[in-house]
Amino acid sequence: MYLLLFALLIYSGSTFAQKIEVKGKVVDQSTGEPLGGVSIITNKIKGALLTKQDGTFALSLDKGASTLVFTYVGYVPQSVSASTSTVLNILLVPNTLSQEEVVVIGYGTQKKSSLTGAVVKYKNDRMDESPLSRLDQALQGRIAGLTVQNISSEAGAAPKINIRGISSINAGSSPLVVVDGQPIPDGLAFLNMADVESVEVLKDAASAAIYGSRGSGGVILVTTKKGTADKPKYVLKYSVGEKKDYKRYDIMTTGEYIGLLFQEMAKRAQDSTVLPANNTVADGDRASYVVENLFRGGQSTDWQGESLRPATFQNVMLSVAGGKKDVRYFLSTGYQNDEGMMYKSNYEKLNIRTRVDLDLSKKVKLSLNVNPSYSKRSAPSENFTNFWRFPTWLPVYHNAATAAFVNTNPQYAGIRAGDYAHPRHFSGLSYAGSMPDGTNWTSGATTVNPSGSAQQNPKSAVIRTDISNNEYRLQSSADLNIILLPGLTFKTLASTYLNYTNGLDFSRRSANRDGDNNRGEFTNNVFIDLLSENTLNYVKSVGKSDFNILAGFTSQKTTISRDQTAAIDFPSDEIRTLNSAAQLDKLGTFGTKNQIGLLSYLGRLNYAYDDKYLLSASFRADGSSYFGPGNKWGTFPSISLGWVASKEKFLSNIDWLSNLKFRGSYGVSGNNRITDFAFLDLMYGANYSLGSGTGTSSPGLVNSPTIISNPAITWESTYQSNFGLDMSLFSGKLGITLDAYKSKTDKLLLQQSAMAFTGVPQFWNNIGSLRNTGIEIELTTRNIQTKSFKWSTSANISQNKNSIIELGTEAYLLNQGERTEVYRNKVGNPLVQYFGFKTDGVWTSQEQINKAIAGGLTSSLSNVFVPGGLKIVDVNGDNKIDNEDRTDLGNPYPDFTWGITNNFSFKGFDASFSFQGVQGGKLINGDPNYNESRRTIKVYNENRWVSAKFPGDGKTPFSTLGYNWMLTDYVIEDASYVSLRDVNIGYTIPADFMKKLKVNSLRFYLSAQNLYFKTAKGYRGLNPEGRFTNGAYSSVLVDGYQRGSFPIPKTVLIGIDINF
Amino acid sequence: MKRHLFTLIICIILFASCKKNIEIYPLSNVTTATFYKNTTDIQTALIGCYNGLQKPLLEEWKMSELRSDNAIMGNAASKSVPNRDLSDLDLFIPNTSHQGIYNFWINTYANIRNVNVLLNSLNVNYSKSTGSITSDTSAVLISSKDKKELSAEAAFIRAYHYFNLVRQFGGVFLVHEPLSPFDATSLNRETADEIYKLIIADLSYAIANGPAFKYASIPAATLGRVNSWTAKALLAKVYLTQNRKADAIPLLTDIISNSGYGLVATYSDVFSISNEMNREILFAIRYKAGGIGLGSPFPNSFAPELSGTAVIIGDGGGFNTPSSDLNLTYAATDLRKGISIGEYGNTKVLYPKKMISPVSIVNDAENDWIVMRFADVVLMLAEAQGNTTASLALINQTRKRAGLTDLLPAAVSTVALFEKELANERRLEFTFENMRWYDLMRYNKTMTTITAEQTLKNHYSAVYVAHYGKYPSPRPTLAQIQAYITTDRLLLPIPQREIDNNTTLKIPQNPGY
């Protein structure tokens, strides 16, 4: 259509032959600076005209419609039509979607225009102004296909991160993180965000294959800033703000809950189906009411308030960059203090970076990079769950009345007001007091326990326990570039990464239980990673052909040692060095040392013909110490092709299409991230005491009780194909990148279940395969671009589907989670599906049950036919409710994830709003497993069943009745959400004014996170992103379980950014 | 330029020598393949097998004491998963995926694997067809005396594990050599008889090859190790369990006359932590306090729940709660009652006191777990001999130590009376020593008037009002609970995982599950 119009314009233009005058000025759209030397092409004049130095031009053209095309390097070409004499003011738009943009790829860089793989570049554009302490969190919602999930909101906690879904089961599936060429496991944690120049994500296997062995989870390349030959430029940034919980649980106080029980009792009394003997409030509940009402005067403890606090977030950054012709430098230092919302939760980080680039000669270049950093993390000893599920009748500290009361038990005669109160203090006593219905109640001589909890009150445990961890890191590298021949460069990089961690978990006397000894656990871990990379790169152009050939080898060796010493009985809680401990505790004491080696050969050919036809082929062979002799080597080839269609003649004249490129790739990447020495059976210490008296410990060894090795274990490989297209339309106003992929992971490194009578429950095997398919779309638009007001948008959306193709000989695996909930991994289905019973509200009456039973319904399960309990659906319709009725109840994988950022600027003001969300995907809410949550969280008690006559909403079961909730869909909830993840509003003081102060620029900003967070209907928790399960159950096959979700943090900070 | 090329070449040479980089072997662990070379290695591996005895013991009380009439699930009101699992065992309605049963199973088989690897390295093998152990030369540098003794101990440990398995599960999987996961799927359950064949072969081997010092001359450093007498005592119990009384008698009399083992003076001396491995102890699974990772967890798990520091530092789990009928069975003058059963707090919560000693770290107590002691030998002989005067004298040995008067022949005038007295005596003597359940099962064969089923039904009616009647509603009636006990359910279910995990063979489940 446009093509046709264009042709018509050209045609109509040539039919008249009178002169018109066209003149005007060309300026840069963003800065307003005049542009000289801009070429102007029209259909009326042969050859090109250039604008003058001041940007002006004047043309004399034949009358009639003419098209003027203004082109200038680094700007989007603009065409204007003129039919009469006119003055044109041309605003040329800098080409940020420029084909000239350079992208970092594995072992090199490439022009974006000749890229053939799925690589996304994310520039650090005020990323460092977000109130976040980690780079990975800042990437959330920014890049299609990269999912970042904040599974914990604790300060400094690592999010769950993956690229294009889960490609592995028992081997690690997280992306490989490479910082300035060196793979660093915790690369996204320690970096100072202000040092980051850009982040590139290699999504498809073809791009990642050059990282061979470790590329199957995708690769994240981080490039840090460097200096340019210029006078020193200083940047100082400071921001400070406050973090608060977005939402808390609505918790009933003991008074409210026991009040509810009495109301329910009164209701049941009106119901003839309820036996009076069964219509009581339990003594324990009455006793708890007495404590809160009588001894505490109706005061209740807000345990959430006891654990949470408004926390501060602070960020300081200072850098200087500059250089002379031969020496360029970048120095920076950054400090962050991220206080957690929970007491004692804190993350502090100090970073220093020095980067020097030296041109030793015309042919030899050296660059040095030294990055020491320090971080300190402290954590509360109790998690948030342990707070909110504690009963509100229990005070944190005894008051005079509660102390006097518990003193009546001789065991607790010594307790005084002000001492910590614990549930056990209130056990084994007689209670008496008035009840919510006005009656008086006494337990008489019978003793009552208002709480059966053996736990200490959580606040006392947190205050008396200190958990801290110090990490000292030093990343440094030196690389030497030598131009051997024209076009041939040799590069050698030596890089080291040292990480020393020391920690102390210290619990004071009686911190966890009365009479407990004080105890310290001292940890010392050393991680040393040495990398040598050597590459030869040859660049050559012959005619229209451009070649870029890379060959290299790398060698990496990692040494890890971990030591932990546990000691007890320190004479003072405040002297915490090992020398003062009276006794060591072998159970917490160990030391291990391990080495990991990787050896690789790699090669790549990039070929471009006329910048139109592109080809890239790469190959990598990796030898890994993770595998046994004969199985160490894996090969990872890839090929990708590109076609820049917009450069073809038949498309080059279309003015609204500035770029159209098709890409296709296929590649193999590997995975070796399993436990060490899976190919060997190891023996572990198992001592035993023999001899007279209490015996003497003798050293013993046994075989591993957890897994049997497999000498044949080898690489897991992911084969992925990717099809993509890049488009730039309407003078770059709209940019579209579209990718579709399909991958298959074969020879999964699987911890397969062994028959338990072999003595070991699992063995290593390469078996089974997985599939991931997906679509990713990224859009960038420049909606309004005027001199004073600009509005641009970038948006991304991605979808990934996975399914199991094969699991060896198994049709499916069933895995039990922390609370007996079941996960099914079935061939042909998504990797994890929740597996359990469907329910249809509750059984409202015995009559209803009797009718169903009379209709032939039976069950071999217990607690199925209980009024007030969940009504399980007979899914297979055999009139029998049994395990065969279990069915798929949804999965944890979202339908799609998305992010959208709008950037505005108006004169000195700028603003950016990033929304981000996840649609679809379910989670298992683990909280209903706990009686305390069922009783205290209001949402579980509203409209619940009381009796046949008062069935509530017919959907909410009574807390103690019927079938185990955890095995049904009653606990499966929608995990979708929409969040206003990031807001950044700034004001830059006008430059003219600042020049007088010799300041280049000064900007104030306000940055906020999670100002708005909307969760799905039916979600009963606090944070749909939260995932928390017992360590033993943290497996990819047991996914989507959430217990005691920690609140979402809402952070607001203000900052200043000075450049001088 | 030449200089640069030179650098390049150096780099390539350096790199070529990096091959070693990926030939890495463990620095922190020994590997099985290269380990078993000499006597010290075998000894070290055997110590590991002794250590492996501890883990199944963590679960065994649930299968023995809790299922018997000795103990009840203390926290009746709790609906938490671990507590509900214990209630299910107590009530004979465990599901086939029961965690405790599975743990008992896998931890037992894990140590059987340890033993099998050790015996295999010594080339000491069991032949299923001949039902005997053969010992052939192996590559291990070891004297024949050491080889005999060490392999005898290992064989005993294997027999001990299989004996527990066959009594709890019936015919199980017969694994007598290291088994690869690939071969395991073609192995199905054996009959109980086949399992007993292996047990008897192992114990006969241990009797023939184990050291046979009299108690007084056992080298002090080896106290706690299994010897020929230990094996004889266990074999006697195996025979008795199979109702082969005549085979058991000579073994038992041999121990009584020739071993040098005997009863200690007082009942409390048997369990005192300052008197470990005393002359009454034929076999104990040993623990050692002191923060060396070898302490006993039982005091903390058995002390009453919420008792704070009153009974033991670090609070108790309240497990293995004595039943009220057990408490009432003791005669008022029985000295054993105060040693075996403790009472805590105003409400006098009962707890097993026998194996509780103070700790300074939670789950780190000194108490050895006694598996077989001389009193057992004495009472087994009485059981094997039946109602004779000699048997009466044997029973009176333990009664006397307990401060009770002698039983007179008139009190055991009938078989029923004798059996009742003997069973009663064993119950009170071995409370919480993981014996009651196996005894009840055995009485079904060796006695004519006592059945496990009826004993348990009586137990339920004795404690129903005070205990099961207080379970959260909807609670089962007494008749319902009594109906849970069927002859089939005396055996535990084979863990569901074993059945689900084998896609080649159909593994039969025990009937009743």
Side-chain angles (χ1 to χ4, degrees), chain A residues 114 189 298 356 373 377 405 440 451 492 548 556 564 690 757 767 804 938 1008 1014 1039:
Chain A
S114 43
V356 181
S373 66
R377 203 176 156 190
F405 178 64
N440 275 311
S451 160
T492 177
N548 185 334
Q556 190 179 9
Q564 182 177 303
L690 288 168
F757 63 77
I767 205 165
I804 304 172
K938 208 173 247 169
K1014 172 108 174 77
D1039 194 12

Side-chain angles (χ1 to χ4, degrees), chain A residues 11 45 125 189 228 237 400 566 603 787 796 861 917:
Chain A
Y11 178 69
I45 303 168
D125 188 17
T228 46
K237 276 189 170 186
K787 195 177 168 186
N796 69 76
L861 307 170

Side-chain angles (χ1 to χ4, degrees), chain A residues 635-840:
Chain A
T635 51
F636 308 99
S638 85
I639 182 152
S640 54
L641 299 166
W643 174 39
V644 187
S646 52
K647 290 209 171 158
E648 296 290 351
K649 268 201 186 127
F650 61 92
L651 288 175
S652 62
N653 291 332
I654 307 176
D655 63 338
W656 53 269
L657 181 72
S658 29
N659 180 34
L660 173 65
K661 181 168 79 177
F662 297 95
R663 294 177 276 110
S665 77
Y666 181 76
V668 187
S669 53
N671 195 342
N672 63 348
R673 278 176 286 176
I674 51 172
T675 50
D676 307 312
F677 306 114
F679 64 96
L680 289 173
D681 270 322
L682 304 182
M683 300 189 77
Y684 293 86
N687 301 347
Y688 192 70
S689 157
L690 288 168
S692 55
T694 59
T696 309
S697 174
S698 320
L701 285 174
V702 289
N703 308 291
S704 161
T706 50
I707 195 152
I708 302 185
S709 70
N710 182 346
I713 202 93
T714 189
W715 295 91
E716 166 181 302
S717 302
T718 300
Y719 305 82
Q720 191 187 57
S721 48
N722 186 83
F723 296 96
L725 94 92
D726 299 314
M727 249 194 303
S728 175
L729 305 176
F730 312 116
S731 317
K733 279 197 176 108
L734 172 62
I736 302 172
T737 295
L738 214 143
D739 274 288
Y741 61 89
K742 188 169 185 177
S743 79
K744 184 181 170 197
T745 307
D746 253 345
K747 293 206 283 185
L748 284 170
L749 286 167
L750 194 68
Q751 286 180 17
Q752 204 178 342
S753 289
M755 301 298 292
F757 63 77
T758 56
V760 180
Q762 288 177 317
F763 67 104
W764 276 110
N765 211 353
N766 282 111
I767 205 165
S769 60
L770 262 182
R771 163 154 296 150
N772 275 282
T773 52
I775 299 174
E776 294 153 358
I777 304 168
E778 302 221 8
L779 289 177
T780 48
T781 62
R782 267 188 255 118
N783 311 320
I784 297 173
Q785 298 283 323
T786 66
K787 195 177 168 186
S788 58
F789 183 71
K790 295 187 191 78
W791 171 28
S792 64
T793 306
S794 63
N796 69 76
I797 180 164
S798 56
Q799 181 217 46
N800 180 75
K801 280 193 171 147
N802 68 33
S803 71
I804 304 172
I805 304 174
E806 188 211 319
L807 279 173
T809 54
E810 317 290 333
Y812 59 83
L813 305 173
L814 288 183
N815 286 288
Q816 218 173 58
E818 182 181 294
R819 291 297 172 240
T820 65
E821 77 281 4
V822 181
Y823 304 81
R824 181 156 78 159
N825 322 111
K826 191 182 172 195
V827 172
N829 286 7
L831 182 56
V832 172
Q833 275 185 312
Y834 308 133
F835 190 61
F837 295 101
K838 268 206 170 103
T839 61
D840 175 24

Side-chain angles (χ1 to χ4, degrees), chain A residues 411 428 447 453 484 490 514 555 557 583 586 593 632 681 683 687-688 691-695 754 756-757 761 960, chain B residues 1 8 21-22 28-30 32 44 51 79 220 223 286 288 290-291 306-307 309-310 344 346-347 360 497-498 501:
Chain A
Q411 192 182 341
T447 61
S453 174
L484 299 172
F490 170 67
D514 281 339
S555 168
K557 185 149 190 173
Q583 193 186 334
K586 175 74 173 79
K593 197 170 180 186
K632 289 186 185 295
D681 270 322
M683 300 189 77
N687 301 347
Y688 192 70
S692 55
T694 59
F757 63 77
T960 58
Chain B
M1 178 52 61
L8 181 62
N21 216 11
I22 56 170
S28 312
N29 297 85
V30 190
T32 321
T44 306
N51 174 288
K79 293 201 91 184
L223 268 172
R286 302 199 68 185
K288 187 171 172 61
L306 301 179
S307 58
T309 52
Y344 160 74
N346 301 346
T347 34
S360 54
R497 190 179 177 280
E498 297 293 59
N501 205 18

Side-chain angles (χ1 to χ4, degrees), chain A residues 285-476:
Chain A
D285 288 331
R286 290 170 185 260
S288 67
Y289 185 78
V290 171
V291 177
E292 186 169 291
N293 208 37
L294 186 67
F295 300 124
R296 302 186 62 198
Q299 201 193 344
S300 63
T301 309
D302 171 15
W303 285 106
Q304 293 186 97
E306 291 294 331
S307 79
L308 298 174
R309 61 179 174 185
T312 55
F313 183 93
Q314 239 190 111
N315 192 356
V316 195
M317 201 283 288
L318 177 65
S319 71
V320 55
K324 295 272 156 52
K325 211 180 92 198
D326 297 340
V327 184
R328 297 166 301 277
Y329 57 87
F330 176 81
L331 302 170
S332 84
T333 174
Y335 168 79
Q336 275 179 327
N337 189 358
D338 181 5
E339 235 176 37
M341 291 179 288
M342 264 181 87
Y343 283 100
K344 290 222 174 170
S345 163
N346 201 57
Y347 183 59
E348 244 179 310
K349 193 162 80 168
L350 177 69
N351 253 288
I352 293 167
R353 177 174 290 273
T354 312
R355 184 181 169 119
V356 181
D357 296 293
L358 298 164
D359 296 348
L360 299 179
S361 73
K362 274 193 175 165
K363 288 182 174 166
V364 183
K365 286 183 180 148
L366 176 68
S367 68
L368 301 167
N369 190 348
V370 181
N371 177 203
S373 66
Y374 163 71
S375 67
K376 181 179 177 175
R377 203 176 156 190
S378 51
S381 64
E382 298 281 327
N383 60 38
F384 183 60
T385 320
N386 286 352
F387 277 90
W388 58 252
R389 65 184 199 150
F390 233 68
T392 69
W393 59 264
L394 189 88
V396 180
Y397 307 100
H398 281 286
N399 63 25
T402 59
F405 178 64
V406 304
N407 287 163
T408 58
N409 180 347
Q411 192 182 341
Y412 300 114
I415 284 171
R416 296 288 168 265
D419 287 352
Y420 288 116
H422 303 302
R424 77 168 68 81
H425 294 164
F426 293 86
S427 68
L429 292 164
S430 299
Y431 287 79
S434 75
M435 291 293 108
D437 61 353
T439 56
N440 275 311
W441 166 79
T442 171
S443 72
T446 326
T447 61
V448 177
N449 290 352
S451 160
S453 174
Q455 279 174 330
Q456 211 80 320
N457 110 38
K459 182 99 184 199
S460 78
V462 165
I463 288 178
R464 293 190 281 186
T465 311
D466 298 312
I467 297 175
S468 67
N469 196 47
N470 300 291
E471 274 191 73
Y472 305 85
R473 299 181 176 92
L474 177 64
Q475 187 224 347
S476 53

